Amino acid sequence: MSMKRTNVYADPEDLAIIKEAAKRRGISEAEIIRQGIHLAAMANRVWDEPLFSRTFPGPGCTLRKDEVRDAVADAVQRETDPGTAA
């Protein structure tokens, strides 16, 4: 993978923590910073498709936690065993 150089300003306390972690883990400080940049990039990425594209039939009102769990479990069961009736 090709990389591009950039400069950032960081809090000295954060840099001290990174330095300590790099020594403890046996990797470079730059690698820890690259991992942090990657995590930040992924956390702020706008995806083309929604995470959940399937919908489930429901009563038209907000479901309780156990009702959601049961609906998802039923859908998974139907998907893994197509002969199962709803």
Side-chain angles (χ1 to χ4, degrees):
M1 165 193 333
S2 72
M3 297 198 195
K4 186 174 179 180
R5 181 184 173 106
T6 189
N7 295 321
V8 297
Y9 292 95
D11 185 275
E13 292 175 5
D14 290 338
L15 293 175
I17 293 169
I18 289 170
K19 183 180 213 72
E20 179 183 314
K23 184 177 179 182
R24 184 178 62 250
R25 293 176 59 196
I27 62 175
S28 69
E29 294 170 42
E31 181 59 26
I32 291 178
I33 293 168
R34 280 191 290 272
Q35 291 172 1
I37 290 170
H38 180 69
L39 289 172
M42 296 306 289
N44 290 285
R45 181 175 178 179
V46 176
W47 300 91
D48 294 336
E49 296 181 14
L51 182 60
F52 297 105
S53 60
R54 289 189 266 172
T55 58
F56 302 97
C61 61
T62 303
L63 299 175
R64 295 185 321 267
K65 184 178 179 179
D66 61 319
E67 292 173 319
V68 171
R69 186 186 59 242
D70 292 344
V72 171
D74 290 345
V76 169
Q77 182 63 39
R78 283 193 303 274
E79 202 169 271
T80 56
D81 185 9
T84 303

